[in-house]
Amino acid sequence: MSSDWQRSLVILSGSFVTVTILAVLYIARPIFLPIVLAAFLAFVLAPLVNRLQRRGISRTPAVLLTVGMVVCITIGVGALVTQQVSKLADTLPDRKEAIKAKLVKAKEWINGDGNSRFGALIEDVTSVIAPKSPTQQTVVTEESFASQYGTYLNPAGEFLGQAMFAFVLTVFFLIKKEDLRNRIIRLIGDGKVTTMTKAVDDASTRISRFLLMQLLINSGFGVLITVSLYLLGVDYALLWGFIAAVMRYVPYIGTPLGMIPAVLFSFATAPEWGGGWGQPLTVIAMFVIYEVIGNNVFEPWLYGKSMGLSEVAQLIAAAFWAFLWGPVGLILSGPLTTCLLVVGKYFPRYRSLEVILGVEPPLKPEIAFYQRLAARDQDEAATVAMKVARKDGPTAALEQVIIPALCIARGEQDNGDLSVEDFHSAVLSAREIVGQLSELKEAKEPTPDQDRVRVLIVPVRDEAEHVAAEALAVTLDPNRWEVTVATDEMLASELVAEVERVDPAVVVIVALPPGGLSNCRYLVNRLRVRCPGVRLVIGRWSCGEEIDLDSSLGIKGADGIDKTLGETRKRLHDLLPVFSAANRPARKKDTDLVPIGTAGA
């Protein structure tokens, strides 16, 4: 009861703190926006400053030189764009008749001959949405200077003030970079200097690389659009290229929005080739082709995994930051969310942020495989195993996915979280997937004349260990090993009799954790008494980290206890020369043996 009350108090306090932080970020955005913008401009310019420093220029002159160069480029581009806007404003009214003719032609194309049902539908919908008033009076109002100041000058002054504040902060952030970094480490490091240093370095590296590559890609995109529009004969190509480059900073919807002005202008002023539609359609195709090439070729090559954000997280973050800070928040949504991702990566208390925002798989392959088996979704479970098999090989899939999943199923059944029916279903599905993985291995037919070493693989308890035994059999070379897998339905006395009948060189006893030690210990003792010359290897295979072999050392008489399937395979490989040299003359003929269970192919 006390723990429930404390948990509720923690949730309530956490919710209150979260709401308070969001309210402060929203209300105080005129203060936070210049600070955040200056911080990310500093991230963009930091690599250039560092490069100048490596050439022998001290910190402050390098910062001033970099900022001065950026200011000159910004003023130059701004002057050219302003000139283009001015010319557009002067010449656009002269194209009024051409624009009206284009609109009339587009309306005729939509409405057809004027009697089409679709055209009538559009007219009816338009009349309902925007009905025309029968009596409209023109009202002329005169605005005073004070109202004009509040409408235009006040927002412009606020924007210029924030821009100057961000510019000054950028210069100081660049000059005092190391000092600010050390203060942040001391302020929120909480004594964990190493962890905080790694977090700050990781965040700065990711954000700096991302923003610099984003600047290069967007600038290149704008230059390419400008040159293409100029060659296509579209006027004011520099203006449309600049708009496209700037709008591309807006995630996902920036390029379509940046394409609209160029397409509309081209539609209004297009030449007659292609029926007047050739140039606008070419502009649309050009934007689409360049965006597809940029997204699928240049961005993966230049960005790599610098951000580490999942696509869904980027979409949600873009909407979240746009709601808080408007267009600037939309542009900075990626870097801001990356900072949260780094916090979740290096601080266990906020590990949920990494799970929600990161690109890393939320579940390990063996857990995802077991989860789909428990849900009786064999197809998706097979997809998980096949993905690992194609990447690392079928043996790796058996060792890293199938065996650990069987151990998890065994533990879930022991805890009562997995019913007997679901356990049987999961094991049966895993067995079928083992068969599918065996088909991926290169087929090897046993060589009749080659002397092979007999190995008997014995499951101690149930069908889960039987599947694990079959997985080991699949991985063994049939030209070197004559593999027999005993069934899981045999009693200990029957297993001992089977060992005497098969007369193997080595017996592998599969005892998957958890549990099974008492069965394994009893079987080893019986075999050691009845078959003293046989090698006994115990396979306590698991995920590699959930088993303590010290608890298995109480099993006397075993020649080895292995923690993974790979260790068992290596042990057998190391013992193969010993078995081959012994040449076991007392072995029975192969025709006298009938393998029990499923033999490895």
Side-chain angles (χ1 to χ4, degrees):
M1 193 67 168
S2 176
S3 61
D4 295 338
W5 177 82
Q6 293 175 351
R7 189 181 299 108
S8 301
L9 182 61
V10 169
I11 294 175
L12 180 62
S13 60
S15 302
F16 176 77
V17 171
T18 302
V19 172
T20 303
I21 293 175
L22 294 179
V24 171
L25 290 175
Y26 180 78
I27 296 173
R29 53 184 172 179
I31 299 175
F32 286 114
L33 278 179
I35 298 175
V36 175
L37 189 60
F40 290 113
L41 287 176
F43 278 121
V44 174
L45 301 178
L48 302 178
V49 174
N50 295 335
R51 180 165 297 183
L52 291 177
Q53 282 189 285
R54 286 194 294 267
R55 294 183 177 272
I57 303 176
S58 59
R59 183 74 180 180
T60 301
V63 171
L64 296 178
L65 183 61
T66 302
V67 173
M69 179 178 62
V70 172
V71 170
C72 292
I73 294 175
T74 303
I75 292 175
V77 174
L80 292 175
V81 172
T82 302
Q83 183 184 16
Q84 295 264 294
V85 172
S86 178
K87 288 184 178 180
L88 178 63
D90 291 338
T91 59
L92 197 58
D94 299 335
R95 302 176 181 269
K96 179 175 64 175
E97 297 300 328
I99 294 174
K100 289 173 62 177
K102 289 282 186 180
L103 293 176
V104 171
K105 185 181 294 185
K107 184 177 180 181
E108 291 177 353
W109 178 77
I110 295 175
N111 293 340
D113 57 359
N115 298 322
S116 66
R117 298 178 62 188
F118 184 69
L121 175 63
I122 293 179
E123 293 290 344
D124 294 341
V125 172
T126 303
S127 63
V128 172
I129 295 176
K132 295 181 180 180
S133 177
T135 58
Q136 293 183 350
Q137 297 181 354
T138 303
V139 179
V140 179
T141 59
E142 294 184 0
E143 295 185 356
S144 62
F145 175 78
S147 62
Q148 293 179 359
Y149 174 81
T151 304
Y152 302 107
L153 298 182
N154 192 21
E158 182 180 353
F159 173 77
L160 292 177
Q162 291 181 353
M164 289 299 299
F165 184 39
F167 174 77
V168 174
L169 279 177
T170 301
V171 175
F172 278 96
F173 283 167
L174 290 171
I175 295 176
K176 299 293 185 180
K177 176 184 174 183
E178 288 78 9
D179 181 71
L180 290 173
R181 179 195 62 198
N182 295 336
R183 291 181 183 275
I184 291 175
I185 292 175
R186 181 179 178 182
L187 180 64
I188 61 178
D190 194 22
K192 300 179 180 179
V193 178
T194 302
T195 302
M196 193 61 198
T197 301
K198 290 181 179 179
V200 172
D201 291 342
D202 189 9
S204 61
T205 301
R206 291 191 187 204
I207 295 173
S208 295
R209 175 176 173 77
F210 172 77
L211 292 177
L212 183 59
M213 292 300 103
Q214 189 181 41
L215 175 63
L216 295 177
I217 290 177
N218 293 350
S219 300
F221 184 81
V223 170
L224 194 59
I225 291 293
T226 300
V227 174
S228 300
L229 291 177
Y230 177 79
L231 296 177
L232 197 59
V234 181
D235 295 334
Y236 312 107
L238 179 62
L239 175 61
W240 312 132
F242 174 77
I243 293 175
V246 172
M247 292 304 298
R248 205 174 185 278
Y249 275 97
V250 180
Y252 309 109
I253 62 174
T255 299
L257 293 178
M259 177 181 63
I260 292 176
V263 173
L264 291 179
F265 183 82
S266 174
F267 167 75
T269 62
E272 293 301 324
W273 61 274
W277 293 94
Q279 191 184 74
L281 294 178
T282 304
V283 172
I284 295 175
M286 179 183 63
F287 269 87
V288 172
I289 292 173
Y290 291 164
E291 181 68 12
V292 170
I293 294 176
N295 286 338
N296 295 280
V297 178
F298 290 100
E299 287 188 1
W301 173 41
L302 295 176
Y303 288 167
K305 296 183 178 180
S306 57
M307 294 288 282
L309 294 174
S310 67
E311 295 180 357
V312 176
Q314 292 183 53
L315 283 171
I316 297 176
F320 174 77
W321 291 110
F323 168 76
L324 280 183
W325 289 348
V328 177
L330 185 63
I331 294 173
L332 298 178
S333 61
L336 288 170
T337 311
T338 300
C339 294
L340 298 178
L341 174 65
V342 171
V343 171
K345 179 179 179 180
Y346 287 96
F347 295 94
R349 183 183 302 176
Y350 307 105
R351 188 70 68 189
S352 58
L353 292 175
E354 183 185 16
V355 176
I356 296 173
L357 303 176
V359 295
E360 297 297 328
L363 296 176
K364 294 181 179 180
E366 64 272 15
I367 298 178
F369 180 81
Y370 164 73
Q371 191 267 338
R372 297 325 301 162
L373 289 183
R376 301 199 178 192
D377 188 351
Q378 182 176 337
D379 293 336
E380 191 170 345
T383 302
V384 174
M386 290 297 177
K387 184 178 180 180
V388 177
R390 294 187 182 96
K391 180 182 178 182
D392 301 323
T395 302
L398 293 170
E399 180 177 353
Q400 301 172 12
V401 178
I402 305 294
I403 302 299
L406 293 174
C407 295
I408 296 173
R410 167 68 57 71
E412 293 289 305
Q413 186 195 28
D414 292 346
N415 295 333
D417 297 330
L418 190 67
S419 65
V420 177
E421 294 78 8
D422 290 338
F423 177 76
H424 291 321
S425 173
V427 172
L428 179 61
S429 299
R431 185 175 189 178
E432 294 179 1
I433 295 173
V434 169
Q436 297 176 25
L437 292 174
S438 65
E439 296 176 358
L440 298 180
K441 294 179 63 66
E442 183 180 356
K444 294 182 179 180
E445 293 296 333
T447 304
D449 298 334
Q450 186 173 358
D451 187 21
R452 297 182 296 164
V453 178
R454 287 185 183 138
V455 56
L456 176 64
I457 308 177
V458 177
V460 169
R461 287 173 291 178
D462 54 26
E463 64 268 33
E465 289 164 347
H466 191 196
V467 174
E470 291 178 345
L472 174 61
V474 167
T475 64
L476 298 179
D477 186 357
N479 289 321
R480 296 185 175 185
W481 301 96
E482 182 183 332
V483 184
T484 303
V485 179
T487 65
D488 57 275
E489 299 176 355
M490 287 186 171
L491 300 176
S493 58
E494 296 174 328
L495 289 174
V496 173
E498 183 63 22
V499 172
E500 293 177 335
R501 186 184 71 85
V502 175
D503 189 24
V506 58
V507 175
V508 179
I509 302 174
V510 181
L512 297 182
L517 287 178
S518 58
N519 306 66
C520 186
R521 187 179 298 111
Y522 178 73
L523 180 60
V524 169
N525 293 335
R526 292 286 302 271
L527 288 176
R528 202 36 91 205
V529 173
R530 298 281 296 273
C531 308
V534 70
R535 296 290 185 102
L536 299 179
V537 177
I538 299 176
R540 291 284 287 173
W541 309 327
S542 67
C543 302
E545 55 187 17
E546 298 181 357
I547 175 177
D548 183 9
L549 286 184
D550 292 338
S551 62
S552 304
L553 295 180
I555 302 178
K556 305 297 183 181
D559 293 287
I561 302 176
D562 297 324
K563 194 175 181 180
T564 65
L565 184 143
E567 292 180 2
T568 301
R569 295 180 66 247
K570 184 179 183 303
R571 185 185 298 275
L572 295 178
H573 181 270
D574 294 339
L575 291 175
L576 186 61
V578 178
F579 296 142
S580 300
N583 195 17
R584 301 178 59 84
R587 292 199 323 177
K588 298 179 177 61
K589 295 181 180 181
D590 295 344
T591 55
D592 296 335
L593 300 178
V594 179
I596 302 298
T598 303

